[in-house]
Amino acid sequence: MKRRSFIQKTTLTSSALMIGGQLAFGKNTNTDVGHNFNLKYAPHLGMFRHHAGEDPIDQINFMADQGFTAFEDNGMMKRDLALQTKMGETLAKRNMTMGVFVVDKGGNMANTLAAGKKEYIDIFLDGCKKAVEVAKRVNAKWMTVVPGGFERNLPIGIQNANVIEALRRGADILEPHGLVMVLEPLSDSPDLHLRTSEQTYLICKSVNSPSCKILYDIYHMQKNEGHLIHNMDLTWDEIAYIQIGDNPGRNEPTTGEINYQNVFKWIYDKGFEGILGMEHGNSKPDKSGEQAVIDAYRKVDAFL
């Protein structure tokens, strides 16, 4: 066979296989697909629903078609068990890593571990036990924990000690399964007990378990403390998971004040192989807004 004919036939065959694979996996309306990202960015359900439709499986497949290699779902524990299983199977089929889901303890402000009350701790520990089963279904490793609000009638040192003791008991449940709760300091309310990377670092060191680490949410930490690269560097050995959102607005990178290309390059240079959860909204509506999110990540990921 002549070389020219061989190349033409090979090209046609490869194109047919590519198109067939895309049709088999889901509703993909974007012809520019399969970007090779440098980091594991993780979208969530609803972020691309105008392109992919309402079905969670179609949405996951659309994410994979765009080149995203991870996925996170805060509400996974509340989903139907059959859907959890199907989502886990789809992620495995598309070679995507499952990111965080939230340990159900009644809400960010509720059942505060800082109070040291048995009934609150029991709710948290029950959530950890149930989270183990969910993690098995979706092949997850990380789960988000928010300790709750301040217990204002107690000194801060006592509150911290109560949180540490509760988290140690939670870690005892998760550690045999190789699972990791990631503590998330938040900016949503001044009444939240956990608000800075410094405090979270202290608590993780005190719990002293591979199953208790930091979730560094760049949006929240920009609001609460700034100096992102400096503070990530100070707490780096306890950071297991990172989340994304620009400020102000909590939308995709390039819509606010954070120089995400520089931040992502620093994270990449640190050798981070974990997940960066896209826990933010879309700055624009409909398909154009969804495409803007994809374009923004391609832009800020171009740091090499």
Side-chain angles (χ1 to χ4, degrees):
M1 181 183 292
K2 292 183 179 180
R3 183 174 181 273
R4 186 185 189 89
S5 299
F6 174 78
I7 292 173
Q8 289 174 341
K9 289 187 176 181
T10 303
T11 302
L12 288 170
T13 302
S14 300
S15 298
L17 288 171
M18 184 179 295
I19 293 169
Q22 289 170 4
L23 290 173
F25 281 125
K27 303 173 184 177
N28 186 359
T29 59
N30 185 352
T31 56
D32 183 17
V33 298
H35 185 77
N36 186 23
F37 289 106
N38 292 303
L39 294 168
K40 292 182 181 178
Y41 307 112
H44 55 80
L45 293 182
M47 182 166 272
F48 302 120
R49 64 184 179 86
H50 292 287
H51 277 88
E54 298 294 338
D55 183 77
I57 305 305
D58 287 340
Q59 291 186 40
I60 291 171
N61 279 318
F62 179 83
M63 296 168 193
D65 289 341
Q66 306 313 303
F68 293 108
T69 55
F71 166 77
E72 67 177 24
D73 183 22
N74 283 345
M76 182 66 82
M77 285 193 72
K78 298 183 183 299
R79 301 198 186 281
D80 180 79
L81 301 190
L83 179 57
Q84 291 178 7
T85 300
K86 193 172 182 181
M87 291 169 74
E89 290 171 350
T90 304
L91 292 170
K93 185 184 297 183
R94 300 308 307 268
N95 197 28
M96 296 177 75
T97 304
M98 178 65 203
V100 290
F101 60 86
V102 175
V103 173
D104 187 4
K105 59 173 280 294
N108 287 348
M109 291 294 298
N111 303 313
T112 176
L113 302 181
K117 294 181 179 180
K118 181 180 184 301
E119 58 266 34
Y120 294 170
I121 296 171
D122 286 346
I123 291 170
F124 164 63
L125 297 179
D126 182 62
C128 289
K129 291 172 185 175
K130 291 177 179 176
V132 171
E133 299 307 312
V134 175
K136 290 177 182 177
R137 292 186 200 103
V138 298
N139 196 28
K141 180 176 181 179
W142 305 276
M143 51 215 65
T144 305
V145 169
V146 177
F150 278 109
E151 185 69 14
R152 298 290 187 184
N153 63 333
L154 293 176
I156 188 62
I158 302 301
Q159 293 184 59
N160 284 338
N162 288 339
V163 171
I164 291 163
E165 179 60 27
L167 294 175
R168 284 177 177 168
R169 294 179 64 183
D172 286 343
I173 294 170
L174 301 176
E175 193 169 331
H177 303 279
L179 303 177
V180 183
M181 57 180 164
V182 283
L183 310 184
E184 184 177 14
L186 299 171
S187 65
D188 297 329
S189 168
D191 291 322
L192 284 159
H193 175 264
L194 200 61
R195 287 178 49 81
T196 67
S197 59
E198 170 193 358
Q199 181 193 14
T200 315
Y201 185 78
L202 174 66
I203 289 173
C204 286
K205 286 296 186 186
S206 300
V207 174
N208 192 29
S209 167
S211 289
C212 183
K213 297 295 179 181
I214 296 172
L215 190 170
Y216 192 99
D217 188 308
I218 295 173
Y219 163 76
H220 287 298
M221 293 301 91
Q222 172 70 0
K223 290 179 66 179
N224 281 357
E225 60 187 28
H227 300 289
L228 295 169
I229 289 175
H230 172 73
N231 286 325
M232 276 192 284
D233 196 38
L234 288 176
T235 59
W236 187 252
D237 62 311
E238 294 292 336
I239 294 175
Y241 200 96
I242 295 169
Q243 285 182 326
I244 303 160
D246 217 335
N247 183 62
R250 200 175 185 178
N251 290 314
E252 69 270 16
T254 73
T255 59
E257 66 189 355
I258 301 173
N259 188 336
Y260 263 107
Q261 190 172 76
N262 277 1
V263 172
F264 287 161
K265 183 180 186 305
W266 182 86
I267 291 170
Y268 178 88
D269 288 343
K270 291 290 284 188
F272 186 70
E273 296 182 351
I275 292 175
L276 296 94
M278 297 159 60
E279 198 187 37
H280 58 73
N282 298 1
S283 64
K284 301 174 184 177
D286 304 325
K287 281 189 175 182
S288 62
E290 295 173 359
Q291 188 61 50
V293 171
I294 296 168
D295 293 343
Y297 275 89
R298 292 182 177 188
K299 179 178 179 180
V300 295
D301 186 70
F303 48 74
L304 293 181

